Amino acid sequence: MIKLGFKIISTVFSLLIIGYISYAYILPKLNSARNDSDSEYYTVERVVDGDTFKLTTGERVRLIGIDTPEKFESKKLDKDSKNSGKDKKTIQNLGRLSSEYVKEFVEGKKIKMIKEPNYQDKDVNGRLLRYVYLQDGTFVNAKIIKDGYAQVFESFPFSKKDEFRMYQKDARENKRGLWAEINGVKQF
């Protein structure tokens, strides 16, 4: 009987020690891990143009795999005008439409950024190259193409190129976004 009482007391004491260790050491680490997952999110301070934005950290992000019309004077605007046969003012107006579209659903929102495996971290302008997701799971890069406000960026290889091409084809065939006629002008 004494042995049984000793076993019960030993078991209870052991459980109390395990409980205390869990409460004092393990639970705080789990809570910290949950809070660390929140730190994977960044806030978009400002949309610069349809494929670039600035974070509240000061870093700039360039969305992988998409290209939107230019809204600022640049060498790229000159090149796009020459290649498309459209005047620079038209391209800039379409660039503003694309930027406003992206601004509506990204600016001020928390995002999660994912690097492309085996891809450079930054572009020549020092912008982070990333796939971007909103907290609700919306894949920003894909949504912009699906809704017709960007083309697939064909100049560099990336893993989602075929997927993005499919979205672009669908947006174009269904005349969504800039694929539609806007003031009598087609974008692409």
Side-chain angles (χ1 to χ4, degrees):
M1 184 74 138
I2 295 175
K3 284 185 180 181
L4 181 61
F6 183 75
K7 283 185 178 182
I8 291 173
I9 292 172
S10 298
T11 303
V12 169
F13 184 74
S14 296
L15 289 173
L16 286 172
I17 290 174
I18 291 170
Y20 175 77
I21 290 171
S22 296
Y23 180 78
Y25 297 101
I26 297 173
L27 189 59
K29 289 187 189 272
L30 290 175
N31 287 335
S32 173
R34 272 192 221 115
N35 292 338
D36 287 347
S37 69
D38 288 343
S39 69
E40 293 177 4
Y41 284 91
Y42 300 86
T43 303
V44 176
E45 178 179 297
R46 174 176 72 85
V47 169
V48 177
D49 64 23
D51 52 34
T52 304
F53 49 81
K54 183 180 174 189
L55 302 175
T56 55
T57 63
E59 292 180 292
R60 290 172 20 130
V61 178
R62 172 67 166 81
L63 298 169
I64 295 175
I66 75 168
D67 189 31
T68 60
E70 293 299 306
K71 70 177 194 177
F72 302 110
E73 276 293 329
S74 67
K75 289 180 183 176
K76 185 174 182 305
L77 175 64
D78 295 337
K79 184 177 122 185
D80 289 351
S81 176
K82 182 180 177 185
N83 290 342
S84 70
K86 294 183 180 19
D87 64 279
K88 292 195 295 186
K89 185 177 178 183
T90 298
I91 293 172
Q92 287 178 302
N93 286 335
L94 295 167
R96 281 189 276 284
L97 288 171
S98 180
S99 294
E100 286 303 314
Y101 166 78
V102 174
K103 183 178 180 177
E104 287 296 316
F105 78 95
V106 173
E107 200 167 87
K109 301 282 177 46
K110 289 191 176 218
I111 59 158
K112 184 173 190 172
M113 299 185 294
I114 307 294
K115 290 176 65 172
E116 168 77 30
N118 303 315
Y119 204 73
Q120 61 194 38
D121 188 51
K122 294 182 178 184
D123 69 3
V124 295
N125 298 312
R127 299 175 294 188
L128 296 171
L129 296 168
R130 298 292 188 269
Y131 294 116
V132 172
Y133 295 83
L134 297 176
Q135 281 183 306
D136 68 4
T138 300
F139 183 13
V140 173
N141 311 51
K143 179 174 176 44
I144 297 168
I145 291 179
K146 284 180 183 180
D147 292 348
Y149 287 91
Q151 295 186 90
V152 176
F153 192 67
E154 296 285 351
S155 297
F156 296 98
F158 59 97
S159 63
K160 298 183 183 303
K161 190 178 274 190
D162 289 338
E163 177 184 343
F164 284 11
R165 284 177 176 155
M166 187 176 61
Y167 298 149
Q168 177 177 298
K169 182 178 186 261
D170 185 62
R172 185 178 192 166
E173 288 173 356
N174 290 290
K175 297 179 172 56
R176 285 195 294 274
L178 302 180
W179 293 104
E181 276 196 31
I182 301 170
N183 298 330
V185 177
K186 283 189 179 177
Q187 157 54 22
F188 302 113

